[in-house]
Amino acid sequence: VRGTSTLYTEKLFPLKMEDNPITYSETHANLLEAFVRAENKEQLLQELLPVIKNIALTSLTCLPWASLKHLIVFQLGKVLDEFNSKKPQDSFDETKTLLSNQVLAFKDPPFTIQRLCELLINPEIYKTTKQYVAAIEKVVTVTTTQPTLTVRDYNDNVAHLQVKMYSVKQSKKNPSKVRQAETINVDVGQSGLFLPNQKEDIDVDMDIEVSGKSGINENMDLDGGKDDDANKG
């Protein structure tokens, strides 16, 4: 599953991933379970929005889909209500219910989950309810899914992805080295990137591909002309 372009994602999310490393959060996992049981879900929503943002950035998740999909549906409902409040649409409630049920029907995360979460976090790129609904329909009317990762695989894959995103930013600061692979020392432990211990050298380049099953497929270009595909699981 190829993820959304990193450059495109960064335009939507100016978050500096190297300053805010993404990693599994037990706090978020516990809050998510509490959210599912809560009668007043609004109180917990703000604390859980980073979960949706992180999926939008990485396309990956290790949180239980059975719970996560309820968070997504709740946020989707809020965004749809906001659109409709500006210009009420005919059959709005029916459309809202249909879209929500399509998300709930998935037994695993849809392979379009990254784009779905982008739309939930940045709906303002669409001007009308009709446009937004059409965009949501495209990503929820699919049949292909991706597995939920284990915590260890999630942390490893996200760490590698963050290194690649960091290299893209660095290349923009120094365009003359866009085609030159860089070696960055990173730690892929439980606490995120850039810790002082247990570092490893990872060669990174500009091409990014996210695989929901096996992690990151890194397209290495070390000599400016030949690509050597290596799968990172």
Side-chain angles (χ1 to χ4, degrees):
V1 178
R2 178 176 291 275
T4 300
S5 164
T6 302
L7 296 179
Y8 172 68
T9 303
E10 286 187 344
K11 290 179 181 179
L12 292 179
F13 305 97
L15 173 69
K16 294 183 178 180
M17 295 178 72
E18 67 270 25
D19 296 333
N20 302 272
I22 298 172
T23 188
Y24 168 75
S25 168
E26 188 173 351
T27 298
H28 283 154
N30 292 335
L31 282 172
L32 183 59
E33 295 306 314
F35 175 86
V36 174
R37 299 190 302 267
E39 293 185 6
N40 187 355
K41 299 183 186 302
E42 186 68 36
Q43 292 181 340
L44 295 174
L45 180 61
Q46 289 303 313
E47 295 180 80
L48 285 169
L49 282 180
V51 170
I52 300 177
K53 291 180 180 179
N54 288 347
I55 297 173
L57 282 165
T58 68
S59 84
L60 306 173
T61 182
C62 61
L63 296 173
W65 174 247
S67 301
L68 180 59
K69 63 184 177 182
H70 291 285
L71 173 63
I72 290 175
V73 165
F74 187 80
Q75 176 66 7
L76 174 61
K78 282 179 61 66
V79 175
L80 287 171
D81 287 342
E82 184 174 349
F83 267 106
N84 195 58
S85 67
K86 299 175 183 177
K87 188 176 181 180
Q89 302 289 308
D90 295 335
S91 305
F92 171 75
D93 290 337
E94 180 181 344
T95 298
K96 178 180 174 182
T97 299
L98 177 62
L99 294 176
S100 297
N101 286 341
Q102 286 175 314
V103 175
L104 294 173
F106 285 109
K107 294 182 179 180
D108 292 297
F111 83 100
T112 52
I113 189 172
Q114 182 179 35
R115 180 60 179 150
L116 174 57
C117 289
E118 287 177 349
L119 292 171
L120 296 180
I121 297 300
N122 286 274
E124 63 273 8
I125 62 177
Y126 294 96
K127 302 302 182 183
T128 68
T129 305
K130 184 177 180 180
Q131 291 175 337
Y132 186 74
V133 166
I136 293 292
E137 285 179 336
K138 286 183 179 180
V139 297
V140 300
T141 54
V142 298
T143 57
T144 305
T145 60
Q146 67 182 47
T148 299
L149 300 178
T150 65
V151 172
R152 180 176 179 178
D153 286 345
Y154 175 79
N155 284 339
D156 287 349
N157 284 321
V158 168
H160 282 279
L161 179 59
Q162 287 177 109
V163 171
K164 280 184 168 285
M165 282 187 163
Y166 178 76
S167 79
V168 170
K169 291 181 181 180
Q170 293 301 101
S171 72
K172 289 189 290 185
K173 294 179 182 178
N174 194 344
S176 65
K177 295 185 177 181
V178 169
R179 300 303 304 170
Q180 177 180 344
E182 304 171 10
T183 298
I184 300 176
N185 290 323
V186 300
D187 170 54
V188 292
Q190 292 285 332
S191 298
L193 293 178
F194 310 116
L195 299 181
N197 300 319
Q198 299 178 343
K199 292 183 178 180
E200 61 175 297
D201 289 337
I202 299 178
D203 291 325
V204 295
D205 193 41
M206 302 305 105
D207 297 325
I208 297 174
E209 182 172 319
V210 177
S211 170
K213 180 174 294 185
S214 59
I216 307 303
N217 292 326
E218 299 180 0
N219 296 320
M220 311 297 287
D221 187 2
L222 303 180
D223 59 6
K226 297 180 180 180
D227 290 338
D228 180 21
D229 295 333
N231 292 328
K232 301 293 183 180

